[in-house]
C-alpha cells in the first residue's frame, strides 16, 4: 500500500483500523489517517475554492477597506501560523540528519504552510476588494479547527497513556497551531468596517446586510434590529432600509433593456416585409384595421418564428447567473433531505443492537441535528436568492415596460387598452416573480422522486411499486379536480363580476335609488346573482372536500398498499421498525414534490403566456424620432416648415393628412379651423411627431409646448402640474396663474396651489383642468405653442379672458409661435393666418378678410357655426353656471367630496368675475377649510381603519357565530377524531413492528394489517367529514355576512355615501366578500390541520420518551414568542408594501394617458426616473418582508431541529427500556415537525391577515342607519296625499353636525295644485330643499307637513313612494328598459306604453328590436342624454303621484327635448303640485309662484310678474338671462 509507506518508514502502521475507530468504547483514528487526510482536507478545500473566489472578487469590487486592527490581527496570525508550520518543517529536516522519518513529516507541514500563506493573501485581497465578512475563509477556519480538534484529542489521549513517548517539540507547535486557529475563527466572526467611497456612507438608512458578518448573514440575524423596532411600535416607511445598489431600478433595468435591444435589433435586420405582410393583407380589406386580429396575426404566423426576438433568451442572459447559484444550493438541500431517513435507519439499527457502544447513538443524534441545521441554512439561502432574483426580475420587467410605453406608436398603443398594459405590469410581472421561486422545482421534483424511490426499493424491494401506483393514480384525479375547480372558478368570477357591476351601479346611482325608494328591488337583484354565485361555491366546496381527502389520505394509502403488498407477497417478509419507519419518512418526503409538480407546471404555463404577451408588447413599433426635425431657432424660413408631408397613424393605415404644405413665421398666431373630424388635431399630432410620416419634410424649431384637447392632469399638487419639472420662478408663476384665470380657483382650493389633485383630476371641473393644462404650456416658456381647442371646455367669459391674456395678440405669449385649433368664431378676426382644413387637406389659407372674400369652404363653415353659436348663447352662456357649472348640482360628483359644500364651491370657480360670486367665496373659505381637513384625515382612515394591531378574539367569535356554533364545534370534533385515528394507526404500526419474529415470520400479520387499514379508513372518513363541514359552514357564513353588509349599506344615509369613496365600498363587496367566500375556509382547514399535527407529534414524542416533557414546553414558549414577534413586523411590512404598490400602477396609468404631453414637453427622462423611484419605494418594503420570512423560518426550523435533537437524544438515553418501534415512531414524527411548524406559522399569520375581512365587513354592517323604511303604526292612508299641500314650518337643514345650516327658517305654504319655481344662484340651497322634502337629510329644525301629516313621523318608503322626482342627471341602470321604468313590476304593459307615449318615446321604443326589453347599457350609455331624460319623465308619469319635484337639467338637454318635457308636465300634472328647481328662467315664467333663495333663506316669494316689479334678485337674474 503506497499510503502506508508514506506514513511510516517500514509500512507497519495501518491507514485505517475498524477496531480502533468503530468497535470500541473509546474511538480514535490511526496515526496515519490523522497525519494525511485530516491535514489535507482544509488545504484541498481552500485550493479548490481559490480560483473561483479570486475571479468573483476581481469582478465584484465594493471599494477599498482601510487597514484596521482587526485586519492587522488576522494577517499577523496568518503569518504566525505559516511560521509555526514551517518551524515543524525545519525541525523535520534537522531531525532527518539523526533518524530517518516518514516522508509525511516533510510533506504535511509544507502543504499546510503554503495553504496558510494563501489564506493570508486572501485576507488582504478581500480587504482591497471591500469584502466585510467572508464566508469562504470562515468555513476554511472552521474545517481546519474541526480536523485539528480530532488530532488534538488523540494527542492528549496518547500523552495520558502511561509510558508513551512524547515528541515535545511537535506537541508544543501543535498546541500553538490549535490555539491560533481558534483565535482566527473567532476573529472571522466579526465584520470589517465599510469600504471607503461606498454608497452606504452617505445613505441615511443603509441596509445592514453587507456590513453584517457571515454568521449573521446565513442566520438572517441582521434583520433583528428592524424586527425589534416593529415589535415595539408599528413600522413606518421611514424605518425601512434603502435598497442595495444592485436591487435598484437604475442598476437592473438598463441591463435588461440593453440585452433586449440587441436581441430586437438582430430580428429587425431581416427584411421588414416579412413581419408586416400578414397585417397588410388584412388591413386592405377594412381600412380601420381590426385590432384584435392584428394582434393575433403577430402571434400565430409561423413564418415569422425564426425572426422573433426571444424574450426568454434575454431574461436568461440577464438573470442566468443568479439561477446557477440557486441551482447549487437546491441540489445540496435535496441531498441533505435524504440524510434524515438514512440516519433514522442507523439509529433504529443502533437501538436494536444492544452490543453497540453508547457513543454511536450520540454520534447519530449529533449527525441528525447537524444535517437538519445545515439543511435549514442552505434552504433559506436558496429561497433568499430566489426571492431577491424574483424581485429584480419584476423591477426589470416593470422598468422595461414603462420605458417602452413612452416610445411606442399610437397605432401600437391602440392594440392594447390602458388596462391591459397596466395588467402587463401588475399581473404578468408578478407571475415572473412567483415563478422565480418555483423554477428549480422543474428538475428538483423529479430528482427527489427518483432518489426517494431508489432508497425505498433498497428498503422494501419491488413492493414499493404498489405505493407508487397509488401515487400515480392520484395524480390524474387531482388534475381532473384542478380542471373542474378552474371551470367553477371561471363561473364564480363571472357571477362575481356581474354582482360587482351591479353594486357599482347601485353605489353610483344610490341617490336616485333613495329618491325613488327602489332599494328593495335592487337588493333582490343583487341577491339573485349572489344565489347563483353561492351555488357554484357549494359545488367547488364539495370538490375542495374531495381534494383535501385525497391530499390528507394519500400518504396513508400509499403506506398501506406498500406494506400490505410487502407482507402478503412472502411469508418471510418481516415488517420491522427499520423498514416501516424509514419507508414512512421517505413517503413523507415524496409527498411534497408530487404535489408541487402540477403547481409548477401550471405556473410555468401561466408565465409562458405572460412571456408571450410581454414579447408582443415589447416588439411593438416605436416612434421614429427623426421623422420631425427638431432644430434650434435660427434665422431662416420660419418656425414651422412643412413641405408636401403625408401622414398616417400607422405604417399600414391609409394617409390621414395628404400633401400638407405650410410655413409658420416666427411669433405668429395661426388658427386651424374645419368641420369635426377633418384632421385638425391630427395636424398637431403630426407636428409633435406622434404620427407616421409617409413622405415630405417637417421642421419644428425650438422647444414645444402642447395643450391637448382632453386636459391631462397628474395626481400631484396644482403647482407641480403647472411647473411640470421646470425650476420654480415666483414672478413668472404668478403671471401665468393670473393670465389663465386660475386665481379664484386657487383661493377656493383648501390648500391653495399646494392642493393635491386626485387621479384624472377628479376634484376639478373640466374647465379647471383645461386651464391647468394651459398654464403648464404657458409656464414652460417654449418657442412653439400648440393649442388643441383649449377654449371649448371653459365658460365663454373665461375663454375671452384667456384669449386676451394668453393666446391673443396682447397675451403673455405674443412673441411666441402659436398654433390654435378652435371652433370659436369670434376670435378668428384677430388671427395672423387661418388654415382651413377639410378631409385631411388644407383647403384654404390666409387672413380672415382674405378668406371671407374667397367665399369658399371657410365662409360655409362660418355660416354653420354662427347660427349654432347664437342659439347657444341666448340660452346658455349667461346663465349663472354655464358649461362648467354642470358638475355642480350634479349629485354624482359629490360622492367624491366630504360634504356637498366643497363641490359646489369648487366648480363654481369658473363664474369668478361676478361680484356676488366673489364675496360668497370669501365667506365660505373658512367653512371649506374644515371639511377639507376632515376630508384628508378621513380619507386616510377610511382606507386603513381595520388594519392596525392584532385582530381581536371577538372577530373569530363573530365568524363562528356566522357559521353557526353547532357546525363550528362539530368541525372541531371531527378534526379531533381524524387526528386521534391517525395517531392510533401509527402507534399500531409501531406495535406491529415490535411483534416477535418466530421461525422467520410474524404471527398476527392479518389482524395487524386489518386494524391498520380500518384505522386509516376511519381517518379518511373524518377528513372528508370535517372538510365538508368547514366548507359548507364557510358558505353559510359568507351568505350571512354578505346579506348583512348589503342590507346595512342600502340602509345607510346619503351622507355616508358622500363620505365614503365608492371604491372602498366596492372593495368590501368584491375583495372582502371574496376573501370570506373562497380564502378563509381553506385557510381554516390548513390551520386546524397543522395545529393538530404539531400537537399529535408532541404527544407521540412524549409517549415514547416522557423525559421530553421537560423540553417541549420551553421550546413551545420560544416558538410562540418568535411567532408573535414576527407577526407584528410582517403584518406592517405587508401593509406598507401594498400601500406603496398602488402609486406604481396609478403613475403608470397616468403616464399612458398623458404620453403625448410628456413626449411633447420632452420630459421622458424625468418620468422614467419617477417610475423607477416608485418601483424602488415598493421594493423597499417588499425586500424586508422577504428577509423577515426567512428570519422567521430559520428561527422556527431551529426550534424544530431542537425537537428532533431531543427526541433522538432521549431515545438513545433510554435505549434499554425502549422498543425499536417506538424509537422509529418518535423520531419519524419529530422529523416532520419542522415542516408542520413552518406551515403553522404561515397559516396563523394568513388567517390573521384574512380574518380582517370579516372585521371590515362587520364594521360597515354596524354603521349609522337612516330612519326605518316603513313604520306600521304611523303609516299614512294609501290614498295620502289627497290634495298635495306642502307646508314648511321654520324649516332648517344642515349636511353634517359640525357644519352651518344650509337652509334656515323657511316658512312657506304651498297649496295643492300650485306650480312653484325655485330659483337662486349656485349654492343658494335649491337642491337642499328637495333633499329635505325627501328626507335624504333629516331636518335640523322645524318640520315639513304634507296634507296634515308630519313627514318626519312616517317611514321613508311610505314618504318617497308618494312623491315623484325627475332628477337633474338622468340615471339609468343596466337592465331592460321595463326594469328601469318599473322595477317592482307593479304596472301593466299598457300603462307603460301609455307613459312612453306621453313622454314622446313611443316611436323610439317601438322601433327597437326588443321593445320594452331593450337592454340599457351601464349608466344608460346606449341612449342619448335627451332620451334618458325622457325615460325619467316616463317614470314620473307612471307613478303619477300628487307631488312632483323637477330638478331641472342644465346643459344635458337640447332645447327641443326641454320643450317636450315642459309641455308634458303642463298637460299631465295639471292638478298636481309641481316644484321646479330652475336654471333657465324662461321655463318658469308662467308658474303660479316663484321662491327666490339666497344663502339658504327665502328672500323673495310671489308671482313672476310681481317679482319683476320689485326689481330685486329675481329681476337681476332675469336681466342676466336676457328675459327683461
Amino acid at each position: 500500500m503506497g499510503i502506508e509507506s508514506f506514513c511510516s518508514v517500514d509500512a507497519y502502521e495501518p491507514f485505517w483500523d475498524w477496531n480502533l475507530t468503530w468497535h470500541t468504547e473509546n474511538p480514535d483514528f490511526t496515526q496515519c489517517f490523522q497525519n494525511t487526510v485530516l491535514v489535507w482536507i482544509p488545504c484541498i478545500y481552500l485550493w479548490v475554492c481559490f480560483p473561483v473566489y479570486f475571479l468573483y472578487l476581481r469582478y465584484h469590487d465594493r471599494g477599498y477597506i482601510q487597514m484596521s486592527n482587526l485586519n492587522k490581527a488576522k494577517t499577523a496570525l496568518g503569518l504566525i501560523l505559516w511560521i509555526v508550520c514551517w518551524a515543524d518543517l525545519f525541525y523535520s529536516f534537522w531531525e532527518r540528519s539523526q533518524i530517518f522519518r516518514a516522508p509525511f513529516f516533510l510533506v504535511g507541514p509544507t502543504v499546510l504552510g503554503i495553504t496558510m500563506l494563501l489564506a493570508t493573501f486572501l485576507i488582504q485581497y478581500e480587504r482591497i476588494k471591500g469584502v466585510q465578512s467572508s464566508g469562504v475563509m470562515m468555513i476554511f477556519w472552521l474545517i481546519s479547527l474541526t480536523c485539528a480538534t480530532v488530532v488534538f484529542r488523540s494527542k492528549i489521549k496518547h500523552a495520558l497513556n502511561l509510558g508513551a513517548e512524547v515528541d515535545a517539540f511537535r506537541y508544543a507547535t501543535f498546541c500553538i497551531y490549535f490555539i491560533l486557529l481558534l483565535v482566527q475563527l473567532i476573529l472571522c466572526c466579526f465584520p470589517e468596517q465599510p469600504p471607503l467611497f461606498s454608497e452606504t456612507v452617505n445613505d441615511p438608512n443603509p441596509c445592514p446586510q453587507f456590513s453584517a458578518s457571515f454568521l449573521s448573514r446565513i442566520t438572517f440575524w441582521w434583520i433583528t434590529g428592524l424586527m425589534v423596532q416593529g415589535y415595539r411600535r408599528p413600522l413606518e416607511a421611514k424605518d425601512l432600509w434603502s435598497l442595495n445598489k444592485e436591487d435598484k431600478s437604475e442598476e437592473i433595468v438598463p441591463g435588461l433593456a440593453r440585452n433586449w435591444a440587441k436581441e430586437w435589433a438582430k430580428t429587425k435586420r431581416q427584411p421588414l416585409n416579412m413581419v408586416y405582410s400578414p397585417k397588410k393583407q388584412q388591413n386592405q380589406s377594412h381600412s380601420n384595421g381590426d385590432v384584435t386580429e392584428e394582434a393575433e396575426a403577430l402571434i400565430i404566423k409561423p413564418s415569422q418564428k425564426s425572426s422573433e426576438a426571444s424574450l426568454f433568451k434575454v431574461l436568461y442572459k440577464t438573470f442566468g447567473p443568479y439561477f446557477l447559484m440557486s441551482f447549487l444550493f437546491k441540489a445540496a438541500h435535496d441531498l441533505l433531505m435524504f440524510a434524515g431517513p438514512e440516519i433514522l435507519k442507523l439509529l433504529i439499527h443502533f437501538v436494536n443492537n444492544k452490543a453497540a457502544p453508547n457513543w454511536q447513538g450520540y454520534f447519530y443524534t449529533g449527525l441528525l441535528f447537524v444535517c437538519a441545521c445545515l439543511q435549514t441554512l442552505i434552504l433559506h439561502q436558496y429561497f433568499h436568492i430566489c426571492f431577491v432574483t424574483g424581485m429584480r426580475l419584476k423591477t426589470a420587467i416593470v422598468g422595461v415596460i414603462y420605458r417602452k410605453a413612452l416610445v411606442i406608436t399610437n397605432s401600437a398603443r391602440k392594440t392594447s387598452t390602458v388596462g391591459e398594459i397596466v395588467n402587463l405590469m401588475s399581473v404578468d410581472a408578478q407571475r415572473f416573480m412567483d415563478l422565480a421561486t418555483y423554477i428549480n422545482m422543474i428538475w428538483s421534483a423529479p430528482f427527489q422522486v427518483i432518489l426517494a424511490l431508489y432508497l425505498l426499493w433498497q428498503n422494501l424491494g419491488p413492493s414499493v411499486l404498489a405505493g407508487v401506483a397509488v401515487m400515480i393514480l392520484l395524480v390524474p384525479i387531482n388534475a381532473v379536480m384542478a380542471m373542474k375547480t378552474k371551470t367553477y372558478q371561471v363561473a364564480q368570477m363571472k357571477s362575481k363580476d356581474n354582482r360587482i357591476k351591479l353594486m357599482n351601479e347601485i353605489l353610483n346611482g344610490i341617490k336616485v335609488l333613495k329618491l325613488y325608494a327602489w332599494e328593495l328591488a335592487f337588493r333582490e337583484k343583487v341577491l339573485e346573482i349572489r344565489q347563483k354565485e353561492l351555488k357554484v361555491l357549494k359545488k367547488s366546496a364539495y370538490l375542495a372536500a374531495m381534494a383535501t381527502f385525497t391530499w390528507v389520505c394519500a400518504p396513508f394509502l400509499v403506506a398501506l398498499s406498500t406494506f400490505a403488498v410487502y407482507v402478503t407477497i412472502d411469508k418471510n417478509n418481516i415488517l420491522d421498525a427499520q423498514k416501516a419507519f424509514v419507508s414512512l419518512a421517505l413517503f413523507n418526503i415524496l409527498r411534497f414534490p408530487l404535489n408541487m409538480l402540477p403547481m409548477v407546471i401550471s405556473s410555468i404555463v401561466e408565465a409562458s403566456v405572460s412571456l408571450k404577451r410581454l414579447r408582443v408588447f415589447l416588439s411593438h413599433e416605436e416612434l421614429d424620432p427623426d421623422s420631425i426635425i427638431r432644430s434650434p431657432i435660427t434665422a431662416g424660413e420660419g418656425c414651422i416648415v412643412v413641405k408636401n408631408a403625408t401622414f398616417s397613424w400607422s405604417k399600414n393605415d391609409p394617409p390621414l393628412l395628404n400633401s400638407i404644405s405650410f410655413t409658420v413665421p416666427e411669433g405668429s398666431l395661426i388658427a386651424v379651423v374645419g368641420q369635426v373630424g377633418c384632421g385638425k388635431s391630427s395636424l398637431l399630432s403630426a407636428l409633435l411627431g406622434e404620427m407616421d410620416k409617409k413622405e415630405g419634410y417637417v421642421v419644428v424649431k425650438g422647444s414645444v409646448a402642447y395643450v391637448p384637447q382632453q386636459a391631462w392632469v397628474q395626481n400631484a399638487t396644482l403647482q407641480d402640474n403647472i411647473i411640470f419639472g421646470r425650476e420654480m420662478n415666483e414672478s413668472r408663476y404668478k403671471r401665468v396663474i393670473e393670465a389663465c384665470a386660475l386665481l379664484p380657483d386657487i383661493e377656493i382650493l383648501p390648500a391653495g396651489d399646494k392642493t393635491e389633485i386626485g387621479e384624472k383630476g377628479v376634484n376639478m371641473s373640466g374647465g379647471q383642468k383645461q386651464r391647468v393644462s394651459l398654464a403648464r404650456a404657458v409656464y414652460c416658456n417654449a418657442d412653439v405653442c400648440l393649442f388643441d381647442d383649449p377654449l371649448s371646455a371653459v365658460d365663454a367669459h373665461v375663454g375671452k379672458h384667456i384669449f386676451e391674456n394668453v393666446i391673443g395678440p396682447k397675451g403673455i405669449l405674443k412673441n411666441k409661435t402659436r398654433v390654435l385649433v378652435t371652433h370659436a368664431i369670434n376670435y378668428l378676426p384677430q388671427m395672423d393666418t387661418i388654415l382651413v382644413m377639410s378631409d385631411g387637406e388644407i383647403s384654404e389659407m390666409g387672413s380672415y378678410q382674405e378668406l371671407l372674400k374667397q367665399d369658399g369652404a371657410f365662409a360655409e363653415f362660418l355660416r354653420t357655426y354662427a347660427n349654432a353659436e347664437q342659439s347657444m348663447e341666448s340660452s346658455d352662456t349667461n346663465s349663472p353656471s354655464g358649461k362648467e357649472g354642470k358638475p355642480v348640482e350634479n349629485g354624482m360628483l359629490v360622492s367624491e367630496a366630504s360634504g356637498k359644500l366643497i363641490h359646489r364651491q369648487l366648480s363654481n370657480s369658473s363664474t369668478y368675475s361676478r361680484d356676488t360670486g366673489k364675496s360668497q367665496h370669501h365667506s365660505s373659505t373658512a367653512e371649506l377649510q374644515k371639511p377639507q381637513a376632515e376630508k384628508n384625515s378621513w380619507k386616510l382612515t377610511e382606507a386603513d381603519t381595520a388594519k392596525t394591531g392584532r385582530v381581536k378574539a371577538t372577530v373569530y367569535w363573530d365568524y363562528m357565530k356566522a357559521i353557526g356554533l353547532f357546525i363550528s364545534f362539530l368541525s372541531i370534533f371531527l378534526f379531533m377524531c381524524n387526528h386521534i385515528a391517525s395517531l392510533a394507526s401509527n402507534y399500531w404500526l409501531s406495535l406491529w413492528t415490535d411483534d416477535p419474529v418466530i421461525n422467520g415470520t410474524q404471527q398476527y400479520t392479518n389482524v395487524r394489517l386489518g386494524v391498520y387499514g380500518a384505522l386509516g379508513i376511519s381517518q379518511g372518513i373524518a377528513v372528508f367529514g370535517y372538510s365538508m363541514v368547514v366548507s359548507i359552514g364557510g358558505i353559510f357564513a359568507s351568505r350571512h355576512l354578505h346579506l348583512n353588509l348589503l342590507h346595512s349599506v342600502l340602509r345607510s344615509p346619503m351622507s355616508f355615501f358622500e363620505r365614503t369613496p365608492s371604491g372602498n365600498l366596492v372593495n368590501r363587496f368584491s375583495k372582502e366578500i371574496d376573501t370570506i367566500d373562497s380564502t378563509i375556509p381553506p385557510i381554516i382547514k390548513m390551520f386546524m390541520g397543522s395545529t393538530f399535527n404539531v400537537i399529535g407529534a408532541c404527544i407521540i414524542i412524549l409517549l415514547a420518551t416522557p423525559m421530553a416533557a421537560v423540553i417541549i414546553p420551553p421550546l413551545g414558549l420560544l416558538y410562540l414568542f418568535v411567532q408573535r414577534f414576527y407577526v407584528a413586523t410582517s403584518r406592517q411590512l405587508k401593509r406598507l408594501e401594498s400601500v406603496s404598490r398602488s402609486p406604481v400602477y396609478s403613475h403608470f396609468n397616468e403616464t399612458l394617458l398623458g404620453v403625448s404631453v410628456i413626449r411633447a414637453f420632452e420630459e421622458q427622462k424625468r418620468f422614467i426616473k419617477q417610475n423607477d423611484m416608485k418601483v424602488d419605494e415598493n421594493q423597499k418594503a417588499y425586500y424586508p418582508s422577504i428577509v423577515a420570512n426567512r428570519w422567521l423560518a430559520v428561527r422556527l426550523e431551529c426550534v424544530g431541529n431542537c425537537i428532533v435533537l431531543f427526541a433522538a437524544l432521549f431515545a438513545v438515553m433510554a435505549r434499554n427500556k425502549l422498543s425499536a418501534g417506538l424509537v422509529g415512531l418518535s423520531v419519524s414524527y419529530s422529523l416532520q415537525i419542522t415542516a408542520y411548524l413552518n406551515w403553522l406559522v404561515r397559516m396563523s399569520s394568513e388567517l390573521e391577515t384574512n380574518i380582517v375581512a370579516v372585521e371590515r365587513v362587520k364594521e360597515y354592517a354596524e354603521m349609522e342607519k337612516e330612519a326605518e323604511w316603513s313604520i306600521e303604526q304611523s303609516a299614512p292612508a294609501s290614498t295620502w296625499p289627497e290634495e298635495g299641500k306642502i307646508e314648511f314650518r321654520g324649516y332648517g337643514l344642515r349636511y353634517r353636525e359640525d357644519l352651518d345650516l344650509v337652509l334656515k327658517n323657511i316658512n312657506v305654504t304651498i297649496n295643492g295644485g300650485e306650480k312653484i319655481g325655485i330659483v337662486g344662484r349656485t349654492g343658494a340651497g335649491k337642491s337642499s330643499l328637495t333633499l329635505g322634502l325627501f328626507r335624504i337629510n333629516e331636518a335640523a329644525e322645524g318640520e315639513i307637513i304634507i296634507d296634515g301629516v308630519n313627514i318626519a313621523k312616517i317611514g321613508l318608503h311610505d314618504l318617497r313612494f308618494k312623491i315623484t322626482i325627475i332628477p337633474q342627471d338622468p340615471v339609468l341602470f343596466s337592465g331592460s328598459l321595463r326594469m328601469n321604468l318599473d322595477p317592482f313590476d307593479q304596472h301593466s304593459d299598457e300603462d307603460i306604453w301609455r307613459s312612453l307615449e306621453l313622454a314622446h318615446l313611443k316611436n323610439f321604443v317601438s322601433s327597437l328590436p326588443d321593445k320594452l326589453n331593450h337592454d340599457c347599457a351601464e349608466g344608460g350609455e346606449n341612449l342619448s342624454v335627451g332620451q334618458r331624460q325622457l325615460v325619467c319623465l316616463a317614470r314620473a308619469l307612471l307613478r303619477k303621484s300628487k307631488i312632483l319635484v323637477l330638478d331641472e337639467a342644465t346643459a344635458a338637454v337640447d332645447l327641443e327635448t326641454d320643450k317636450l318635457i315642459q309641455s308634458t308636465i303642463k298637460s299631465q300634472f295639471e292638478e298636481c303640485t309641481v316644484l321646479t328647481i330652475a336654471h333657465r328662467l324662461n321655463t318658469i315664467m308662467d308658474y303660479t309662484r316663484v321662491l327666490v333663495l339666497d344663502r339658504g333663506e327665502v328672500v323673495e316669494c310671489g308671482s313672476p310678474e310681481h317679482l319683476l316689479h320689485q326689481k330685486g334678485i329675481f329681476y337681476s337674474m332675469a336681466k342676466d338671462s336676457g328675459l327683461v
Side-chain angles (χ1 to χ4, degrees), residues 1066-1134:
V1066 172
N1067 220 349
R1068 296 291 192 274
F1069 279 100
S1070 56
K1071 185 90 177 31
E1072 318 298 350
I1073 291 287
D1074 187 48
T1075 306
I1076 293 172
D1077 282 348
S1078 46
T1079 318
I1080 295 185
I1083 286 182
I1084 286 184
K1085 268 188 257 184
M1086 292 197 230
F1087 172 73
M1088 300 284 284
S1090 31
T1091 313
F1092 279 114
N1093 273 333
V1094 171
I1095 296 171
C1098 292
I1099 290 173
I1100 288 284
I1101 293 172
L1102 287 173
L1103 272 180
T1105 50
M1107 264 162 76
V1110 185
I1111 280 303
I1112 285 178
L1115 280 178
L1117 283 174
L1118 179 68
Y1119 173 83
L1120 275 176
F1121 170 69
V1122 166
Q1123 197 258 8
R1124 284 263 53 97
F1125 195 69
Y1126 157 81
V1127 166
T1129 308
S1130 143
R1131 194 175 40 218
Q1132 199 56 26
L1133 283 172
K1134 221 184 190 126

Side-chain angles (χ1 to χ4, degrees), residues 1315-1319 1446 1448 1458 1462 1466 1474-1492 1500 1502-1524:
K1315 309 284 179 279
I1316 303 284
I1318 302 171
V1319 294
L1446 197 63
E1448 192 187 75
D1458 199 45
Q1462 290 300 338
K1466 276 200 191 72
V1474 179
L1475 302 180
T1476 302
I1477 293 176
H1479 297 282
R1480 302 181 186 155
L1481 298 186
N1482 51 3
T1483 53
I1484 58 161
M1485 281 319 219
D1486 53 354
Y1487 276 28
T1488 33
R1489 275 195 291 167
V1490 174
L1491 294 184
V1492 184
E1500 298 173 11
S1503 66
E1505 297 76 34
H1506 174 63
L1507 293 180
L1508 286 177
H1509 287 309
Q1510 280 189 1
K1511 296 267 180 5
I1513 297 185
F1514 184 67
Y1515 175 75
S1516 69
M1517 288 173 72
K1519 201 168 160 192
D1520 281 352
S1521 302
L1523 289 172
V1524 180

